[in-house]
Amino acid sequence: MEKILIVEDDTDISDLIQMNLSMVGYDTKQVYDGKQALEHVEKENFDLIVLDVMLPEIDGFSVMERIRHTNLPVIFLTAKNSISDRVRGLKIGADDYIVKPFECIELLARIESVLRRYGKKNNYILLKDLEIFLDDRVVKKSGKIIDLACKEFELLKLLIVNKGMSLTREIILERVWGFDYLGETRTVDMHIQKIRKKLDLFDEIKTIYKIGYRLENLD
């Protein structure tokens, strides 16, 4: 289980991030200023830091400069949206930069991407009699490779990455088909049915009435 340090002085935002990260299986630690962040990085091992820029005691940029030698992945989180702030954050070693307000599903996707880049994210998922290799885009059922269409695999991966979370049809369309997809939400329903049938996931992929779908926790 990957361990993530959340450094955010707004307790509501911090709690929201913590809830969503815990829901999909991450181990989390919350601190609320730059000084605490440095103390915990020195004492504990983390796989990634979600780091706000505007912090009490020591700001996020200063924290980043003081921990960059650790090669610890950092995603900046801030209300600032100027190009200069983004460039500064990336130049001093941050791996990504998210501007508030943001969707938690976007933060989760960026966290997953950064962890994979560092080789800290498990490529292999075991679900019932299924072996799912996310990077290789291969699904095996009882040792036999199951042929999934591109969008079917992308949809399955989205459900896995956000396990335990209810995803609306609109979010699924955006993440799997892209912003400019002109189809209707029933496209999602059709692909869900295909995945359920091919992989025998009728019980695991839940329909959330008038909302969308959720993959039940894999634990």
Side-chain angles (χ1 to χ4, degrees), residues 26 28-29 33 40 55 77-78 80 85-86 88 90 92 100 125 129 132 135 137 153 178-179 204:
Y26 291 113
T28 61
K29 178 78 176 182
D33 64 57
H40 281 277
L55 291 169
L77 181 67
T78 180
K80 290 185 175 182
D85 287 325
R86 298 187 206 185
R88 180 183 176 189
L90 295 173
I92 62 176
K100 303 173 189 175
I125 300 292
D129 58 347
I132 304 165
D135 290 343
R137 304 175 66 86
F153 185 88
F179 289 98
E204 288 72 21

Side-chain angles (χ1 to χ4, degrees), residues 42-74:
E42 184 177 341
K43 294 187 300 183
E44 300 179 54
N45 293 320
F46 296 96
D47 295 296
L48 182 141
I49 301 179
V50 176
L51 179 63
D52 188 24
V53 170
M54 301 300 292
L55 291 169
E57 301 290 343
I58 304 173
D59 67 76
F61 288 139
S62 299
V63 170
M64 179 72 234
E65 289 173 338
R66 291 169 65 172
I67 67 171
R68 63 191 304 179
H69 68 281
T70 65
N71 200 36
L72 185 60
V74 173

Side-chain angles (χ1 to χ4, degrees), residues 131-212:
E131 296 176 283
I132 304 165
F133 302 86
L134 298 178
D135 290 343
D136 298 328
R137 304 175 66 86
V138 171
V139 178
K140 293 183 179 180
K141 182 176 176 63
S142 301
K144 180 181 178 181
I145 294 179
I146 303 298
D147 185 26
L148 292 183
C150 178
K151 296 304 183 186
E152 291 170 359
F153 185 88
E154 289 299 322
L155 177 50
L156 176 64
K157 181 177 178 180
L158 181 68
L159 291 169
I160 289 172
V161 170
N162 297 281
K163 61 184 182 295
M165 293 184 64
S166 298
L167 302 177
T168 66
R169 291 173 174 84
E170 289 74 21
I171 284 179
I172 292 173
L173 279 173
E174 175 188 317
R175 295 295 173 181
V176 176
W177 280 267
F179 289 98
D180 57 351
Y181 181 71
L182 301 178
E184 299 180 4
T185 55
R186 63 184 179 186
T187 300
V188 174
D189 301 328
M190 292 170 58
H191 279 74
I192 288 288
Q193 291 306 316
K194 290 179 181 178
I195 293 172
R196 282 171 168 164
K197 185 175 181 179
K198 287 183 178 181
L199 304 181
D200 188 23
L201 294 178
F202 294 97
D203 293 331
E204 288 72 21
I205 300 178
K206 302 293 185 182
T207 299
I208 311 302
Y209 182 63
K210 290 188 177 181
I211 296 177

